[in-house]
Amino acid sequence: MKIRIGVGAAGASSTPEALGELVAAIDELGFDSLWLSEVLTGPVIDPVKLGTTMLLPGRNVLRLAKQLASLDVLCRGRLLVTLVPGLTYPPEREAIGVEPKQRGAAIDEALPLLRRLWAGETVSHEGTAATFQNVKLSPLPVQKPLEVWLGGNVPSALERCGRLSDGWLPSLCTPEEAAAGRVVIEEAAAKAGRSISGEHFGMSIGYASKPIDPATARVMAARRPRSLELTPVGLPALRQLIERFIAVGFSKFVLRPVAPPASWRAELDVLAGAVGDLQT
């Protein structure tokens, strides 16, 4: 099992200078990947230009297929996308424009279309995700196939992951919950006549290097109720949590500081010293 650790950039993409510092530090310190999460109402650059944990509901599927195929060509086949239904707190819920209860159906409709377009088929479709006739995408992705992972840990998301995705990257769950979710996913995959590589189970972990200040804590609790409970505080606690996930078979990690650090280089220097040796 290959252990890989990526870094979630949080607000680092709000300026070119901060993003440049982060990219250089990731490369020099040996982290596996850079991840940007798409939040429509947050101060971040649209990550479709870089690769991302990104929203699917509310997007035109044909436009998305073209963007991601082009990005995979530009980065020479190094793109990995995790599609998520999006957060449910206001105003993000209104900005997405798709009710939370309808977002799973949007992924069900759009993901098979994306795969057909990326495979070079001539595709016609009429539905919520898009309406188009006899479209053949160009350029096609370098990767064949271009992998798509899913997040989420409610029962419907787990079943969808097993039925449609190439991997699972959830957040805000315990190692025990993650292990139980993996069982559900693998059972759903087998029922659909497919399988997911054992290397394709990961975890997105928000962490705090020091005690969380009250203002940040209020924002976290408002956005996702379990976030404070499941956020390790201090790098020793983060390492222990990663080791617990590794013990139940998870091997890909995206580590996200819950507050943007004053210096990304300094943050990643310390992070590399704390957990970098876990990579294999």
Side-chain angles (χ1 to χ4, degrees), residues 6-12 22 26 33-37 207 254-257 264:
V7 175
L22 176 59
I26 284 175
S33 54
L34 167 64
W35 289 76
L36 299 179
S37 295
Y207 73 93
V254 178
L255 308 182
R256 303 171 286 102
W264 274 101

Side-chain angles (χ1 to χ4, degrees), residues 197-270:
S197 169
E199 296 280 354
H200 288 189
F201 288 87
M203 186 62 52
S204 178
I205 303 175
Y207 73 93
S209 299
K210 57 184 179 181
I212 301 170
D213 66 82
T216 300
R218 285 194 295 272
V219 171
M220 292 172 60
R223 290 184 172 187
R224 307 184 83 172
R226 296 185 71 194
S227 57
L228 287 175
E229 169 195 350
L230 296 174
T231 297
V233 177
L235 295 181
L238 173 61
R239 183 185 178 95
Q240 291 172 9
L241 183 59
I242 294 171
E243 290 174 334
R244 290 174 59 202
F245 278 113
I246 292 172
V248 296
F250 285 67
S251 60
K252 307 301 181 287
F253 300 94
V254 178
L255 308 182
R256 303 171 286 102
V258 296
S263 166
W264 274 101
R265 177 65 201 219
E267 179 74 16
L268 295 192
D269 274 332
V270 175

Side-chain angles (χ1 to χ4, degrees), residues 155-186:
S156 60
L158 298 175
E159 187 277 335
R160 181 177 301 109
C161 186
R163 180 166 43 86
L164 294 177
S165 82
D166 298 298
W168 186 40
L169 188 75
S171 63
L172 293 180
C173 60
T174 67
E176 294 75 21
E177 290 168 342
R182 177 172 177 169
V183 171
V184 174
I185 289 169
E186 291 177 331

Side-chain angles (χ1 to χ4, degrees), residues 56 59-66 110 113-114 117 129-130 132:
L56 179 54
R59 266 201 161 90
N60 179 287
V61 69
L62 180 56
R63 187 184 299 270
L64 178 61
K66 177 81 171 184
L113 287 173
L114 289 171
L117 288 163
F132 51 87

Side-chain angles (χ1 to χ4, degrees), residues 17-85:
E17 294 78 14
L19 185 59
E21 179 187 23
L22 176 59
V23 170
I26 284 175
D27 182 53
E28 293 171 13
L29 295 171
F31 288 100
D32 179 69
S33 54
L34 167 64
W35 289 76
L36 299 179
S37 295
E38 181 175 33
V39 180
L40 296 180
T41 57
V44 294
I45 294 171
D46 183 355
V48 73
K49 299 176 181 68
L50 297 168
T52 179
T53 298
M54 67 182 302
L55 297 168
L56 179 54
R59 266 201 161 90
N60 179 287
V61 69
L62 180 56
R63 187 184 299 270
L64 178 61
K66 177 81 171 184
Q67 290 173 327
L68 293 179
S70 299
L71 179 58
D72 196 53
V73 170
L74 291 172
C75 69
R76 299 181 180 179
R78 298 177 66 184
L79 176 65
L80 173 60
V81 177
T82 297
L83 296 177
V84 295

